[in-house]
Amino acid sequence: MTRLILATRNAGKITELHAILADAGLSHDLVGADAYPDIPDVKETGVTFAENALLKAHTLARATGHPAIADDSGLCVDVLGGAPGIFSARWAGAHGDDKANLDLLLAQLADIDDPHRTAYFACAAALALPDGTERVVEGRLPGTLRHTPSGTNGFGYDPVLQPNGESRTCAELTAAEKNAISHRGKAFRALVPVVRELVG
């Protein structure tokens, strides 16, 4: 059984990818970055989601000698020219301060009317082999931004993005509902034929 490394310490992401691979009939030994505690976290110095995903995947593949998968994602707001984009997690300055990021974004969009509040979550997922072979796929979840947060599920910008065709925000969906339409779920599912081709 081929070992696959997923560049994350998030158990939820590992469970999600494992289920997607299993549904496709792929039974790889999938482990997270925690299985290799001596390998430091990779600085995301790329200027696109794809570049950041590839940086992480290549670093892990080279360090472990196993195929590695990594993803990078964020919120892209059309009226802001695609921002916060790769800076989504640190939009307000400190990395991972969800409330500050959300408050700043809503303040920036305070005078923007509903028809112009379109946005999408984007995710790039990369597979890298130890020999340098690489592939990147992407997934998107389009929607519009609410004026006030709603819902307690999810994290980040989930409470303000209302997916197209939905009356609820991402934070009001169940985990199963969100995974079925999410940008990461779409990217991971798009990676299945790539894993099948390059890893077996």
Side-chain angles (χ1 to χ4, degrees):
M1 184 183 291
T2 305
R3 170 161 281 201
L4 267 178
I5 320 295
L6 181 59
T8 186
R9 300 183 195 284
N10 180 328
K13 270 193 199 181
I14 296 167
T15 300
E16 183 182 4
L17 180 58
H18 187 272
I20 288 169
L21 292 174
D23 285 348
L26 297 172
S27 56
H28 295 292
D29 174 26
L30 182 69
V31 298
D34 282 347
Y36 299 90
D38 296 339
I39 301 171
D41 287 337
V42 181
K43 280 195 169 66
E44 296 181 2
T45 55
V47 295
T48 65
F49 296 123
E51 285 181 17
N52 283 332
L54 282 166
L55 273 171
K56 293 184 282 188
H58 277 300
T59 299
L60 267 175
R62 282 193 303 268
T64 66
H66 295 289
I69 292 171
D71 72 287
D72 192 35
S73 60
L75 178 72
C76 303
V77 181
D78 294 324
V79 76
L80 295 179
I86 60 167
F87 304 109
S88 292
R90 51 189 185 276
W91 192 233
H95 192 280
D97 188 339
D98 285 356
K99 185 180 186 312
N101 290 333
L102 201 50
D103 289 347
L104 175 58
L105 181 72
L106 289 175
Q108 290 168 325
L109 299 175
D111 298 329
I112 304 298
D113 292 332
D114 290 352
H116 305 293
R117 295 175 73 90
T118 53
Y120 60 90
F121 281 129
C123 176
L127 171 67
L129 304 185
D131 67 5
T133 301
E134 65 181 42
R135 293 283 177 80
V136 183
V137 294
E138 298 190 352
R140 288 186 179 188
L141 175 58
T144 53
L145 295 171
R146 293 267 192 95
H147 292 266
T148 53
S150 184
T152 55
N153 299 331
F155 58 93
Y157 301 95
D158 285 352
V160 292
L161 187 86
Q162 179 177 313
N164 290 346
E166 257 297 338
S167 59
R168 298 168 295 171
T169 68
C170 288
E172 293 174 301
L173 302 176
T174 66
E177 287 174 324
K178 186 186 167 193
N179 287 345
I181 62 170
S182 80
H183 49 306
R184 182 176 296 110
K186 288 176 181 174
F188 279 169
R189 283 189 288 275
L191 209 52
V192 165
V194 177
V195 171
R196 187 174 279 122
E197 176 194 348
L198 297 182
V199 182

